Amino acid sequence: MPQTYRYRKHVRWVLYKLPFAAGLLFAFKAVLLVSLPVSPNAPSDALMGAIIYAAGAFVMLIYAAIGYFRYGYEGSCFTLYENELVWTNGEDFKYLRYNDIDRIDSQRKRLGRSRVRIITSDNAVQLSTIIENAGELILDLKRELDKRGLQHRYDQEELLSFLKDAAIFDQNWERLPENFLRFMALAILWSLTGFVVAVTAGGGTAGGIIAAVISFFFALVPQYVTDRDCTRRISYEANLDEFTCPARDKEWEKRTFKKALLLTALIYACIYAALILAAHTLG
């Protein structure tokens, strides 16, 4: 069965779904400003606001339309068939027969994404970790080349480096939706705590807002530490001879997150205790 690999979902959101939603919101705001009664002293302000929102809506909707029609619903994708790799982008196609692949070159990272270039005598396509399950794709492609005795057309160490980066991206993006509600609950709780503590300590509303923002970023730390440790685990346990990367270990991830959360909470509490003590001492 042919296997197809596409852009990650968040890329498709950035390409046209979020701009489309923003365009509709701006258009709604423009209509609202025009239709609601305004003060006789400031009709020009309402009109100017409506024009700005309408211009924003126009730009966002045009951007969304270009993204949709340029990249299609799924965007750029790769499909592995029995004898060839097919790259598709809208109505553009490139066909790369496995026997015709001259080499797979590792490319310089761009915006933190690893890339490889798959080259034949008359075609070339670029594969990056922006493609969902890009590691599985490169594994399948390597198997097809190995079956044909074409191991000399790629560098195994370079390919393993790409496989590790692809595994890191895949696992990080899998964890994101799984941990989203937990992160939001933590961020809201800590932000409210920071706000209340700062106001109680005499920092006023401005101080409370600053404390809430800082607390929000504190809530990111446990997830950052978990992702960092998972990245290290993949890097250390990847096997060049077997050409494999470790699969996710969700129990290990939970333990890592809990340790990071407890340490972050302890540091967070110590900082606010010190601030309260300093405020009372100075007061």
Side-chain angles (χ1 to χ4, degrees):
M1 285 288 292
Q3 180 66 42
T4 298
Y5 300 87
R6 296 183 171 88
Y7 277 166
R8 298 181 188 278
K9 292 182 179 66
H10 75 280
V11 177
R12 299 199 293 271
W13 274 94
V14 171
L15 285 174
Y16 51 85
K17 293 183 180 180
L18 284 180
F20 180 73
L24 291 182
L25 179 62
F26 287 166
F28 174 74
K29 290 282 288 183
V31 172
L32 202 63
L33 283 171
V34 171
S35 59
L36 289 178
V38 296
S39 170
N41 299 325
S44 59
D45 292 343
L47 180 60
M48 182 57 69
I51 291 172
I52 292 172
Y53 277 116
F58 178 77
V59 170
M60 287 292 100
L61 292 174
I62 290 295
Y63 179 89
I66 292 172
Y68 182 83
F69 290 109
R70 175 67 180 88
Y71 297 100
Y73 181 70
E74 298 293 351
S76 212
C77 66
F78 295 80
T79 303
L80 289 165
Y81 292 94
E82 185 178 354
N83 294 307
E84 64 185 355
L85 168 69
V86 179
W87 172 87
T88 310
N89 190 1
E91 296 182 357
D92 296 332
F93 294 86
K94 289 184 179 179
Y95 301 88
L96 295 87
R97 294 183 63 81
Y98 302 131
N99 286 326
D100 296 337
I101 292 177
D102 294 328
R103 63 187 188 279
I104 302 177
D105 282 347
S106 178
Q107 303 285 297
R108 183 173 59 86
K109 284 188 178 183
R110 181 181 296 172
L111 299 177
R113 297 195 305 266
S114 288
R115 301 174 297 148
V116 292
R117 193 168 178 80
I118 305 165
I119 302 169
T120 67
S121 58
D122 57 355
N123 258 327
V125 295
Q126 182 173 276
L127 169 66
S128 82
T129 49
I130 202 171
I131 296 292
E132 196 165 14
N133 297 320
E136 291 182 15
L137 192 162
I138 210 69
L139 276 170
D140 288 341
L141 180 59
K142 178 182 179 297
R143 290 189 195 104
E144 293 295 341
L145 294 177
D146 291 351
K147 280 195 304 187
R148 293 163 172 79
L150 303 176
Q151 295 92 331
H152 60 284
R153 299 190 180 177
Y154 61 82
D155 184 292
Q156 182 138 322
E157 287 190 21
E158 290 182 355
L159 222 55
L160 182 66
S161 177
F162 177 84
L163 180 66
K164 288 191 290 187
D165 284 348
I168 289 165
F169 266 75
D170 285 333
Q171 294 187 19
N172 285 351
W173 281 105
E174 282 177 17
R175 276 191 297 276
L176 186 62
E178 293 173 1
N179 298 333
F180 180 74
L181 291 179
R182 180 169 58 184
F183 161 72
M184 288 305 298
L186 192 63
I188 291 170
L189 175 63
W190 284 10
S191 295
L192 288 174
T193 302
F195 181 85
V196 171
V197 169
V199 171
T200 304
T205 303
I209 292 173
I210 293 171
V213 171
I214 294 172
S215 299
F216 178 86
F217 284 104
F218 254 95
L220 289 169
V221 173
Q223 188 60 48
Y224 167 78
V225 171
T226 304
D227 287 346
R228 183 203 61 189
D229 287 355
C230 290
T231 296
R232 288 178 175 175
R233 175 173 169 267
I234 291 171
S235 298
Y236 292 151
E237 296 184 15
N239 189 301
L240 179 62
D241 294 328
E242 297 179 6
F243 202 75
T244 57
C245 284
R248 284 187 67 188
D249 184 340
K250 293 190 177 183
E251 290 303 315
W252 180 86
E253 289 176 11
K254 287 179 183 178
R255 293 194 300 270
T256 303
F257 182 86
K258 285 179 181 178
K259 290 176 184 177
L261 177 59
L262 288 173
L263 182 59
T264 305
L266 180 62
I267 295 171
Y268 178 81
C270 289
I271 289 173
Y272 276 105
L275 289 175
I276 292 171
L277 182 62
H280 282 300
T281 303
L282 294 174

